[in-house]
Amino acid sequence: MPKSSKVTQREHSNEHVTESVADLLALEAPMDYKSSQMSMNMAGGGPPPIGKPDISPDLEDGRPAWNSKLQYILAQVGFSVGLGNVWRFPYLCQKNGGGAYLVPYFILLILIGIPLFFLELAVGQRIRRGSIGVWNYVCPRLGGIGVSSLMVCGFVGLYYNVIIGWSIFYFFQSFQYPLPWSDCPIRRNGSQAIVEPECEKSSATTYFWYRETLNITSTIADSGGLNWRMTLSLLAAWIIVCLAVIKGIQSSGKVMYFSSLFPYLVLFCFLVRGLFLKGAVDGIAHMFTPKLEIMLEPQVWREAATQVFFALGLGFGGVIAFSSYNKRDNNCHFDAVLVSVINFVTSILATLVVFAVLGFKANVMNEKCVVENAEKILGYLNSNVLSQDLIPPHVNFSHLTSSDYAEMYGVIKIVKEDSFAQLGLEPCLLEDELNKAVQGTGLAFIAFTEAMTHFPASPFWSVMFFFMLINLGLGSMIGTMTGITTPILDTFKIRKEFLTVGCCIVAFLCGLLFVQRSGNYFVTMFDDYSAGLPLTLVVVLENVSVAWIYGTKRFMQDLEDMLGFRPYSVYFYLWKYVSPVCLLVLISASVVEMAISPPGYNAWVQDLVSYTLSYPPWALVMCFALIIVAMLPLPLVFIARHFNWLPDGSNKLSVSYRKSLAKEASTLEDETRFILGKNPSEAPSPMPSHRAYLGPGSTSPVELITNSTSISGYGMN
C-alpha cells in the first residue's frame, strides 16, 4: 500500500474517519489514467474486480437487451456459422487426411476454441460494452485491442459483402432453364458454329464464373474498370445488410430467426437429395476414410487451429458485442459450449453435403472420361494403331463400365509401353476426381455449381443453394457490423441509424475496389492478409490481458459472482497456460508460412486459362500495409497511455460501473470505520466473504479505492 494513502495515515494516527470515500469519489473529476489504479495493470495493482452490481444496467444506462435467449443464441450461431463452414472446412478435411482431420480439429476446439469463446462472452456480458470499452476496462494500456479488432472487422466486411453480392447475382441467374452455366457458349463464324475456345479449355461453369460473372482481367495491375453487374449486386448486398442492422439488435435479432435457421433447412434437403445421387456414397466414404499418417504433420494442426480460430469468430468483436446485450446473470458458459458444438456439427453436416454432391460430380466426370477415351480407342482400332487382340473379349463398347475401361487401359499401357504416351489416353480413376481439392469461390461457384447442373430440376436446387449462401453471409455480416457499430456507439453519442447508414455508404464506396474487373484479385489479397495475423495477435493479447494482467484467479471469482457457480478449474489452466502457448505457436507458424510462401495470386489469363502470378511491388506494399494498419493501434495506444497522452476512457464506461465503484467505496469506508472503532479482538475481517480473491502480489480492496483517490499514490511503494 502506498505510504501516502489516507487510510494508512489514519490507521497510524488512530484518528476517527470523518471523510467519506464515496463523497470523495462523487466530487472527483473524471478519472485520470495515471491516478487510476484500474489503469495500473502493468504496475501490479490490476483493475478492480468485475463484481456483481446491485442495479439493473438496463434501467441505468438504457442499453438494449435481447428479446429472448433463443434470439441471442441464433445471433451467435449466425455469426459463427458462415461461408467458411460450407467451403473451407470440407476442403481442409479433403486436404488433411479426411476423417483423421477431425481429431486435431476437435482437440484444438476443446483447448483453445471453447475457452477463448467463453472468455469473450464473459467479458462482454459483464462489462456490457463493445470491444473498445471492454479492453479499456480490463487493461487501458492494451485498449488498442478493441481498435485493432474494429479495423479487422472493417477490412473483412468490405470483401465479405462482395461475396454476398456474387451470391445475389447467381441467385437471380438461377431462375432460368437450362441454367446459364450448363453449356459452353457457341460462337458463330459465318455459317460455322464453334465452341468458345476459352470455355473449351476449361469448363462451362468455370467460364461463366470468370468471364460472364467477373469478366476478369489477366493481371491485378489492369483494373479494367467497374463491372456494372457486380456493382449493382454489391449495392443490393449493402442495402440488405443496412436494413438488417439499422435498428441494432431490435432489427438484426428478428432477421436472425430466418437467416440462422434457413441454411440448416437447405443443408438437410441437400443431404437427403445427395444421398440418392449416384456416387454420393463414394464421396462420403472418401471424406471419412482416415489417412492417419497425415494427421501427425504440423501443417495439419496449424490449419486446424486456424479454422477453429476463425470458425468461432474470435477477436472480431462481434461475439463481445452480442454478449454485451445480455443480462449479467446469463449462463454464458452454457452458451459458449452450445454455440461451439453447433458450429462443429454444422461443419460436419456441410462436409457431408459437399462430399455427397462432389461424389456425384466425380462419378459423372469419370463416366464422361471413360466415354471420351473409349472413343479414342475405337478410333485407334479402326486405324489399326491398336490391335483388336488388346481388347478383352467381354468388353462391350456400347455399355462400357469403369472397371472394363480400367482393365483395357492397363493392358494397352503394358503392351504399348514405348508409344503409350503418344496415345493420349487417361486412366479415368474415380479417386483422381475425388482428390481434386477445391475451396472458397472455386467450390461454391464452380465445382458445386457444376454438380447442380446434373440434378433433376436444377434451377430449383440452384436457387436454394445461393439463397442459403446469402443467408449464411448475412448472419456473419450482421455480427461483423455489430462489432463495428457497438464500440462506436458506446464511445460517442451518435444515433445508431445515422451511424449504420453512414458505415454502409462508406463501405460500399470502398468496396468498389472489389467490383472492378480485377476485383477478385483484391478479394484474395484481403482474405490472405487483412485478418489472419492481426486477428491472431488480438486474441493472444485478449487472453494475456485477462489471464496474466487482470488475473485468472480474480476472473474466475468474478465469473462465480456473475454466474452463481464456479466454472471448472480446467479453465484456469487453459486460460493461463495452454491457450496462450497454442496461440503463440500459431502466430509463429503463420509468420513462417508467410516467409516461405511468396505472395502471389491465381490469375485468369484468357489464352492460358489459369496461371499463378507474383504481386507487383505496389501490391506487395498493399499486402503488408493491411497487416501493419490493422496492428498499429496496439503499440500506439500503449505508448499514448504509458505517457498519459491519452485518457484511459474510464469516463466513457457505463454508468453502472461508476455507481458500483462508488457503492463499493462506501461499503469499504463503513467497514474501515467499524474496524477502527473496535478492539482488534472484536473487529471483524475487513474482507467480505464474497469479494474476489486477488491473488498474490495484489492490492487489497481498501488500497484499491484509496489509491484511486490519492493524488500521490500512483507508482509509489
Side-chain angles (χ1 to χ4, degrees), residues 324-614:
S324 71
Y325 298 111
N326 265 332
K327 296 179 181 179
R328 283 197 180 91
D329 59 351
N330 173 63
N331 188 349
C332 56
H333 177 256
F334 172 79
D335 299 341
V337 176
L338 177 63
V339 173
S340 299
V341 170
I342 291 175
N343 188 290
F344 180 63
V345 172
T346 304
S347 298
I348 299 296
L349 174 62
T351 302
L352 288 172
V353 171
V354 167
F355 274 89
V357 174
L358 291 184
F360 165 70
K361 172 181 173 289
N363 199 278
V364 171
M365 299 305 294
N366 189 63
E367 289 180 353
K368 182 179 178 182
C369 177
V370 168
V371 170
E372 290 176 350
N373 283 272
E375 291 177 354
K376 287 184 182 180
I377 294 175
L378 281 174
Y380 292 142
L381 291 173
N382 294 332
S383 60
N384 295 322
V385 174
L386 294 177
S387 170
Q388 188 68 40
D389 297 335
L390 298 178
I391 309 302
H394 65 275
V395 170
N396 183 357
F397 277 92
S398 60
H399 297 88
L400 190 64
T401 64
S402 298
S403 58
D404 289 341
Y405 174 79
E407 183 180 356
M408 186 167 55
Y409 176 87
V411 172
I412 296 173
K413 185 176 182 180
I414 294 173
V415 175
K416 295 287 185 177
E417 183 177 359
D418 296 334
S419 59
F420 181 78
Q422 300 173 1
L423 298 177
L425 298 178
E426 299 177 10
C428 296
L429 297 176
L430 183 63
E431 189 74 13
D432 292 343
E433 288 291 335
L434 291 171
N435 282 330
K436 291 180 180 178
V438 287
Q439 64 165 324
T441 54
L443 175 62
F445 297 105
I446 298 177
F448 210 91
T449 305
E450 182 176 353
M452 287 188 296
T453 60
H454 302 287
F455 282 19
S458 56
F460 168 77
W461 293 104
S462 183
V463 167
M464 293 283 283
F465 177 71
F466 289 109
F467 195 40
M468 177 192 72
L469 291 187
I470 293 170
N471 281 276
L472 283 172
L474 179 60
S476 297
M477 274 302 299
I478 288 174
T480 301
M481 286 297 295
T482 305
I484 295 172
T485 57
T486 298
I488 298 176
L489 291 171
D490 291 342
T491 308
F492 305 102
K493 292 184 178 179
I494 308 174
R495 286 196 61 176
K496 68 179 65 173
E497 293 86 354
F498 294 158
L499 175 63
T500 301
V501 172
C503 286
C504 291
I505 291 175
V506 171
F508 169 72
L509 295 176
C510 294
L512 294 178
L513 172 70
F514 305 104
V515 291
Q516 303 175 99
R517 290 180 58 196
S518 61
N520 187 50
Y521 304 138
F522 289 99
V523 170
T524 302
M525 176 193 293
F526 271 66
D527 189 39
D528 290 341
Y529 293 97
S530 68
L533 189 60
L535 211 59
T536 310
L537 183 59
V538 162
V539 177
V540 169
L541 293 177
E542 286 181 0
N543 195 171
V544 169
S545 63
V546 170
W548 288 92
I549 298 174
Y550 183 82
T552 312
K553 291 181 180 179
R554 183 183 302 173
F555 186 58
M556 292 285 285
Q557 183 63 48
D558 292 340
L559 289 175
E560 183 176 1
D561 293 341
M562 185 172 69
L563 303 177
F565 64 90
R566 191 172 187 83
Y568 298 113
S569 299
V570 68
Y571 283 111
F572 177 91
Y573 300 100
L574 291 175
W575 283 326
K576 197 169 183 70
Y577 304 109
V578 178
S579 295
V581 171
C582 290
L583 290 173
L584 289 174
V585 171
L586 178 59
I587 285 184
S588 303
S590 300
V591 172
V592 171
E593 179 71 17
M594 290 177 61
I596 63 177
S597 300
Y601 62 101
N602 290 324
W604 181 263
V605 183
Q606 187 166 356
D607 296 332
L608 303 174
V609 181
S610 184
Y611 192 70
T612 301
L613 297 176
S614 298

Side-chain angles (χ1 to χ4, degrees), residues 259-276:
S259 65
S260 296
L261 295 176
F262 179 75
Y264 289 96
L265 173 64
V266 176
L267 285 174
F268 181 75
C269 291
F270 263 99
L271 179 62
V272 173
R273 181 68 187 91
L275 290 176
F276 289 98

